[in-house]
Amino acid sequence: MGSAVSETGLLPQPAGLFSPNGAGAAQDEPVQPWQYDRSRAPVAVKVLVAGGFGVGKTTFVGSVSEIAPLRTEAVMTQASVPTDDLSSTPDKHTTTVAMDFGRVTLDDDLVLYVYGTPGQERFWFMWDDLVRGAIGGIVLADTRRLRDCFPALDYFESCGLPYAVAVNHFEGTRSYEPEDVREALTIPAGVPVVIMDARRRVTVVEALLTLVGHALDSTPE
């Protein structure tokens, strides 16, 4: 496979990924039909998951990934107390310092590489690197802290990246309709808003499918 990244979001594929006996084939994954036929190799696209600190990005990536997700988490220390608000997530003891990464096959011809961005402001400089080659982004929101997702909304708007808003509904919190969230965040009518649970794979897949459909509709022919 070629290694060039195209304008449509195609990503380079590791050697052996599409060969059932190749050196890069995962030993613990079932062989897919397209792995025997290079003409059926799926399109691989990159998407980002962004949002505020503790909103559930790592959980989002981990619950949907069909491979062991790559996580770059560090234990939180007293040094982060002045800047990281744990009032809504008191059981959180680690934080992402670089990115989360996972892969999910949505169909025989479509594979998503899902990158979760770090949420704290001191790590925002990494977003410029992570966004390269992405076809779209998910802005993950917590209705208890809606203001925390504004930086991600502003970032995707400023770089012209298609995005969808996914409200991660936490247990014990009030449930809101998508249109209520749209109004609160002043999100344009054409941007999808979905309610989901980052722990439930089916709702995460639905959010990703919504984003992919929106990205396709937003991309010029």
Side-chain angles (χ1 to χ4, degrees):
M1 299 284 295
S3 60
V5 178
S6 77
E7 294 180 354
T8 60
L10 291 179
L11 297 178
Q13 305 298 337
L17 180 60
F18 300 128
S19 170
N21 297 316
Q27 300 300 316
D28 57 349
E29 295 181 34
V31 175
Q32 302 295 323
W34 49 262
Q35 289 180 289
Y36 292 104
D37 183 359
R38 289 182 180 273
S39 67
R40 296 182 59 197
V43 173
V45 297
K46 175 181 179 181
V47 299
L48 258 60
V49 182
F53 169 73
V55 77
K57 299 180 294 296
T58 298
T59 302
F60 183 105
V61 175
S63 66
V64 77
S65 181
E66 62 197 13
I67 62 173
L70 169 66
R71 293 170 176 162
T72 57
E73 292 193 303
V75 176
M76 300 181 66
T77 66
Q78 288 298 314
S80 68
V81 171
T83 56
D84 297 333
D85 182 8
L86 293 175
S87 59
S88 298
T89 55
D91 296 327
K92 185 175 178 61
H93 302 293
T94 61
T95 185
T96 300
V97 296
M99 67 176 183
D100 299 306
F101 170 76
R103 187 192 75 196
V104 55
T105 302
L106 295 183
D107 202 348
D108 283 349
D109 59 355
L110 179 61
V111 173
L112 293 189
Y113 290 146
V114 186
Y115 289 77
T117 66
Q120 296 100 317
E121 183 176 356
R122 58 187 179 276
F123 297 128
W124 287 353
F125 68 92
M126 299 188 63
W127 291 16
D128 288 338
D129 290 327
L130 293 175
V131 78
R132 293 175 183 170
I135 65 162
I138 292 275
V139 177
L140 208 56
D142 179 352
T143 55
R144 298 169 298 179
R145 301 173 290 143
L146 281 180
R147 65 182 182 276
D148 291 354
C149 70
F150 279 117
L153 290 171
D154 292 342
Y155 183 81
F156 289 151
E157 286 280 3
S158 66
C159 63
L161 192 72
Y163 67 91
V165 175
V167 177
N168 187 15
H169 181 63
F170 288 82
E171 288 184 1
T173 63
R174 180 179 173 181
S175 178
Y176 292 88
E177 294 297 321
E179 290 309 309
D180 294 331
V181 177
R182 182 187 305 280
E183 182 177 355
L185 295 175
T186 62
I187 297 171
V191 175
V193 179
V194 299
I195 310 297
M196 46 80 68
D197 184 338
R199 301 167 301 177
R200 297 182 56 209
R201 189 176 193 274
V202 63
T203 66
V204 176
V205 169
E206 289 172 355
L208 289 171
L209 285 171
T210 298
L211 170 63
V212 171
H214 176 56
L216 290 175
D217 292 340
S218 303
T219 302
E221 294 281 337

